[in-house]
Amino acid sequence: MQALHIKAKELLESGRVRVIIGYGEGSSGRVRPVFIRNVSEAEKLVWDNRCKQNLAVYLLKPEIKKIGMPAIVATPAAVMSIVQLISENQLKNGDLVALAIEDDSVTEISDDVSLETYVQSHPVIFPPSVKEEIRTIAEKSLQDRLKYWQDELSRCIKCYACRVACPLCYCERCITDVNQPQWVCVASHLQGNFEWHMNRAMHLAGRCIECGSCTLACPVGIPIGLITIEASRVVEKEFGQKPGLRCNAPSAMSTFKVEDVETFIK
Amino acid sequence: MNPNNIYKPYLMRIEKVTDEAPGVKTFRLNFMNDVEKEYFAFRAGQFGEYSVFGEGESTFCIASSPTRKDYIECTFRQAGRVTSALARQEAGDVMGFRGPYGNVFPLEDWKGKNLLFIAGGIALPPMRCVIWNALDQRDWFKDVTVLYGARTVADLVYKNELDEWGGRTDMRLVTTVDPGGETPDWKGKIGFVPTVLEQMAPSYENTIAIVCGPPVMIKFTFPVLEKLGFNADRMYTTLENRMKCGIGKCGRCNVGPAYVCKDGPVFTYEQLRTFPEEY
Amino acid sequence: MNDQSKIITHDNLLKFLDALRTSGKDLYAPQRKAQKTFFLPVDNVQSIVFDYVQTTESPKALLFPKVERLISYEYVDGQVQVMDHAESRKVNECILFGSRPCDAVALKTLADFFSRDVPDVFMQQRHDALTIISISCTKKDENCFCTSVGTSPGDTTGSDILLTPVEESRYYAEVLTEKGRALVDALPEYFEISGPVEKEKYVAKLENVFSSEEITRRLSKAFDDPMWNDASLRCLGCGTCAYVCPVCSCFDIQDEGNNKRGDRLRCWDSCGFALFTLHTSGHNPRPTQSERWRQRLMHKFSYMPEKYDLLGCVGCGRCSRACPVDMNMKEQLEEIVAEIKAI
């Protein structure tokens, strides 16, 4: 952690960045997102195994952008989000300094090449429990799978914490907020909840970098990330493209190759 | 209003549709249920929630005067989901109406005074109810002046009534369009409403000013009135905020401690100044 | 000690609840799901849990459900017919078990707010059919601050029966209202008369961290204070805090249907959403999260007390526990007291 403090102070003092987006001590033993703008506050930054939330979401928040050039304490998932956001023209080369931390040494990554090199050597590793959950659901019959998701999604209250926690949900006017036509029911009955999550899965297919922040954010304990992870895995399997690896990758779901097949559509 | 379910609308038949301006229509509505019609009453300044079943509700003032008992009217611009659906309705169709909501223009307090109405564009409808109400009780008031402006000649609403008002001897009508909005045969003034107001320089003595318009127009009109000597408690406006339930429960129109739908939409400038600028 | 004070053993309590359930009433009580605690319909009283400090979601859905059908319409022979759901539905009698004293205060505030001026029949029907059996808090956590907002771990306000755990798996039962008495009188075999019980010995102790009057006073001058921007930087504008809060009641009215039939629904909404105050013209009076966060706090602690003499918060701490980015309410309020210079 000390290396992080030193780096933070150096970045701020030199004026190279105006704000460091990182993790700080929160309440009840949690960590929370912090925005360090003064050298005197740099020691508030923490780095340990509680730091899981994807902070890349703040790179697109207008109030943060207004502060100026950011550095961001980036988990491997956050770096992947940044690469994906670059490939979608939401960020560009030089917009930020990512700080990757390993064994108390901090590496600055800011250009496309070093970001790509980093994600390729630091894949997002899933805890065995998540792999197990996915396997369990995938093994269910379609009927049982539907029952499982009906049970889970009946709890959804449409708070949209999953949406705001996701760096790739950056639409200024989300499809749920479009009312001409009203594509997705506003109400949080089961149908409205299915409409929202199915839409979200389709919009994140091929883009979800599997950080799990949505599941962390959900206040009612729905393992909502499993849906978008699965959607991305289908895209990877069928179209051979994994998100978050190349800064100039074409968008998987809005480009096609002639040899694409769609055997999974039944 | 149904005393039990406050969200259940009256069923209203559209009697007449008038095209006022590009995208702007007036509906004349009548209650389908005679008993409801009998008991319905409202006062100038109040608004309602007008709905198309399956699309939703939209908030407009009641644009006709309460002195005209046979119908109510609303005027709206096609802008969003519900107003677009409304714009597709025709005479004979049935729609929903909940109301009357909100507070009123205190006409009794204005007896014996001069009335100066200042309106811009699509904001003439909320004023029209009180203008006609005043004209229908003309002997209550001294001089009645209406200053109304729009961006272009085509955008002026209630064109027939403007002609009528222009022809009356018991009131003064001044119409204006923004510079560049005039047609070759335009006989009214050319200039923004606050500018024309300043040129007119009406006297503040014994006069009530009622202003309604887009936020930018109000922002520039109130200072002109103040410069002319009007006191803030003699300047009225009606706020168009985002409203939903109309009865102070859903929270959308909450501005400071006030709910625009309940404590307003009619406010004096003196009251408005105490609100946080969140409207 | 009054004759409405009773003792009930834990075992008898479960039997009492089961008897209520099988008598045809809907019973909602805290149960575990997805490693969190929710108020859920009870099928088996053995699944009711008792070891929680506070549930994840509040019980407000029993008065103010996340989706409520207001009217339905149908076109029959070209004519529209409107069905009034307040008239046509029958709300089943409902028992809420396991709410905390703060929840009972919140439900009372909700019911009060909705019945003022223009009474809301939907909430009234549900309120009339609801009996609230709360359990005093013997534990607290660092997110609780009920004593700073006018209630306490053993407060009887708003409950029909309040149970306080005492020794030997027993509860001291205060039967507070007609509704509470009706339940107990129908099943008296489970209750024993109680001698005097010093409730304070058993309930959690929670020190005041601030006075809500002080917060209200400081906030009345705080609208233009620059603190809101920094305080809200990490807020991402979801609806979690509003939805888990037992007092928050902002809603939307949505039509779902087509040109043959449909419904008009009331659904939860939150002032934290970016588009909550958006005008169709595109003008948004609260364009950034800073204004929206300010609105949340001002509404609860300044506007509601000023206008209705009601505080919009009961210190249950749910918003703090559920917030994905740790916008801790207690901490935010402590900072307001510390930082905003009272004039």
Side-chain angles (χ1 to χ4, degrees), chain C residues 152-214:
Chain C
S152 69
D155 192 353
T156 55
T157 310
S159 298
D160 296 298
I161 300 175
L162 179 63
L163 300 174
T164 304
V166 298
E167 293 93 350
E168 291 168 21
S169 295
R170 300 153 91 82
Y171 300 86
Y172 167 55
E174 292 169 87
V175 184
L176 302 155
T177 64
E178 294 265 346
K179 272 187 188 164
R181 264 193 287 283
L183 288 193
V184 174
D185 289 349
L187 297 160
E189 59 269 34
Y190 298 113
F191 293 85
E192 305 152 30
I193 303 284
S194 164
V197 171
E198 224 187 292
K199 207 165 85 176
E200 285 314 298
K201 226 171 64 166
Y202 300 96
V203 300
K205 305 281 168 287
L206 200 57
E207 270 183 34
N208 275 30
V209 285
F210 50 77
S211 108
S212 64
E213 284 85 16
E214 186 62 25

Side-chain angles (χ1 to χ4, degrees), chain A residues 156-175:
Chain A
C156 175
I157 50 178
K158 290 252 186 101
C159 66
Y160 298 115
C162 49
R163 174 179 81 184
V164 304
C166 175
L168 293 164
C169 278
Y170 52 73
C171 290
E172 274 180 32
R173 191 149 190 167
C174 174
I175 192 169

Side-chain angles (χ1 to χ4, degrees), chain B residues 20 26 63 74-75 124-125 128 156-163:
Chain B
E20 301 284 354
T26 297
C74 67
T75 302
L124 182 55
R128 176 202 190 229
L156 294 165
V157 298
Y158 304 131
K159 294 183 175 63
N160 288 342
E161 282 163 44
L162 291 177
D163 283 341

Side-chain angles (χ1 to χ4, degrees), chain C residues 61-273:
Chain C
L62 294 180
L63 286 186
F64 178 60
K66 61 185 185 178
V67 182
E68 179 99 78
R69 259 201 317 184
L70 303 173
I71 60 166
S72 296
Y73 67 91
E74 189 174 0
Y75 283 88
V76 176
D77 299 326
Q79 299 290 344
V80 68
Q81 293 181 353
V82 174
M83 170 168 6
D84 175 348
H85 283 287
E87 243 174 35
S88 63
R89 74 179 187 174
K90 170 86 179 60
V91 177
N92 197 19
E93 281 207 45
C94 183
I95 314 281
L96 167 62
F97 174 72
S99 43
R100 295 297 188 197
C102 54
D103 294 330
V105 172
L107 293 180
K108 182 163 184 288
T109 302
L110 255 189
D112 186 331
F113 174 67
F114 272 80
S115 66
R116 286 193 186 219
D117 303 321
V118 186
D120 180 303
V121 64
F122 292 92
M123 182 164 304
Q124 211 172 305
Q125 287 174 344
R126 289 181 187 275
H127 194 233
D128 289 344
L130 183 68
T131 307
I132 301 174
I133 306 176
S134 306
I135 308 181
S136 299
C137 304
T138 54
K139 289 188 291 187
K140 61 180 191 254
D141 75 12
E142 61 274 26
N143 296 295
C144 297
F145 56 95
C146 61
T147 47
S148 305
V149 286
T151 176
S152 69
D155 192 353
T156 55
T157 310
S159 298
D160 296 298
I161 300 175
L162 179 63
L163 300 174
T164 304
V166 298
E167 293 93 350
E168 291 168 21
S169 295
R170 300 153 91 82
Y171 300 86
Y172 167 55
E174 292 169 87
V175 184
L176 302 155
T177 64
E178 294 265 346
K179 272 187 188 164
R181 264 193 287 283
L183 288 193
V184 174
D185 289 349
L187 297 160
E189 59 269 34
Y190 298 113
F191 293 85
E192 305 152 30
I193 303 284
S194 164
V197 171
E198 224 187 292
K199 207 165 85 176
E200 285 314 298
K201 226 171 64 166
Y202 300 96
V203 300
K205 305 281 168 287
L206 200 57
E207 270 183 34
N208 275 30
V209 285
F210 50 77
S211 108
S212 64
E213 284 85 16
E214 186 62 25
I215 302 265
T216 303
R217 209 165 58 80
R218 290 188 190 231
L219 282 179
S220 67
K221 313 273 183 238
F223 193 82
D224 294 310
D225 196 292
M227 62 160 267
W228 299 109
N229 191 53
D230 282 1
S232 64
L233 269 184
R234 61 184 183 279
C235 172
L236 290 168
C238 66
T240 296
C241 54
Y243 289 178
V244 300
C245 171
V247 187
C248 276
S249 63
C250 283
F251 61 85
D252 191 2
I253 298 178
Q254 282 284 324
D255 278 20
E256 282 178 13
N258 52 29
N259 57 4
K260 294 195 183 41
R261 67 179 58 82
D263 299 313
R264 186 160 289 168
L265 307 173
R266 177 172 64 196
C267 338
W268 286 357
D269 208 340
S270 164
C271 62
F273 288 134

